[in-house]
Amino acid sequence: DIVMTQSPDSLAVSLGERATINCKSSQSVLYTSNNKNYLAWYQQKPGQPPKLLIYWTSTREYGVPDRFSGSGSGTDFTLTISSLQAEDVAVYYCQQYYNSPWTFGQGTKVEIK
Amino acid sequence: QVQLRESGPRLVKPSETLSLTCSISDSSISNYYWSWIRQPPGKGLEYIGYISYSGSANYSPSLKSRVTISLDTSKNQFSLRLSSVTAADTAVYYCAGRGQFFQYWGQGTLVTVSS
């Protein structure tokens, strides 16, 4: 199985400041034949199901604010919230879908400082 | 907007079989792949498996010996069966849809394994 490791486990950021979450995979999730990284990001608020934010590393799901962006390739990926809003308090998960079983990172909790 | 809703017993006895159904609204079951994911209380997400519109299933190796996912196209539903459950199977179970990543999610249902 591909192991997904996120860092940090939690972070506190001031409103309007940048939040950066890292995700590292135990093997590359880049499919060279189409040059796509099989990596998605989700946001989960308390008592709610996860919500898809980004797929193919950097494609925002419809309706997701553009303050959310994804980047990276191979084994190292980043989710950036450019200007943290109060409604962004949540746990964020990365997920690889390069190899079955699809696997998730352990989650990163984002709070307001 | 595709809507998913999980249903089934919330309490299951150890060694018995957990059975859940996911009802799909505003989409044909033939459009996407359909998955089950679970989340133990206070913990992270675990992929259980998916079934394609053709009925081909894929399961997590760690659960494969105990899991069956099936389709009922006439009812626009898909189901999860997990046998020989233990307390470690206590979790919120989510059904989800689209493909290898999960665009649509049900609200989740907490299933507790206890005697």
Side-chain angles (χ1 to χ4, degrees), chain A residues 37 39-41 53-61 68-72 77-78 97:
Chain A
N37 288 280
L39 192 284
W41 289 96
L53 293 178
I54 286 171
Y55 53 97
W56 300 124
T57 301
S58 59
T59 301
R60 268 189 305 275
E61 170 68 337
F68 292 92
S69 64
S71 63
F77 302 89
T78 300
Y97 48 99

Side-chain angles (χ1 to χ4, degrees), chain A residues 17-59:
Chain A
E17 297 299 305
R18 179 186 301 261
T20 301
I21 300 169
N22 300 302
C23 175
K24 189 174 185 67
S25 57
S26 61
Q27 67 183 75
S28 175
V29 298
L30 172 63
Y31 193 40
T32 53
S33 65
N34 61 9
N35 201 36
K36 285 190 170 185
N37 288 280
Y38 284 50
L39 192 284
W41 289 96
Y42 301 84
Q43 174 194 64
Q44 186 177 31
K45 297 180 179 180
Q48 296 185 19
K51 173 187 173 182
L52 177 66
L53 293 178
I54 286 171
Y55 53 97
W56 300 124
T57 301
S58 59
T59 301

Side-chain angles (χ1 to χ4, degrees), chain A residues 42 44 49 61 93 95 100 102, chain B residues 39 58 94 100 102-103 106:
Chain A
Y42 301 84
Q44 186 177 31
E61 170 68 337
Y93 295 93
Q95 177 231 336
S100 177
W102 323 135
Chain B
Q39 185 171 35
N58 171 281
Y94 294 102
Q100 300 144 303
F102 313 108
Q103 182 177 11

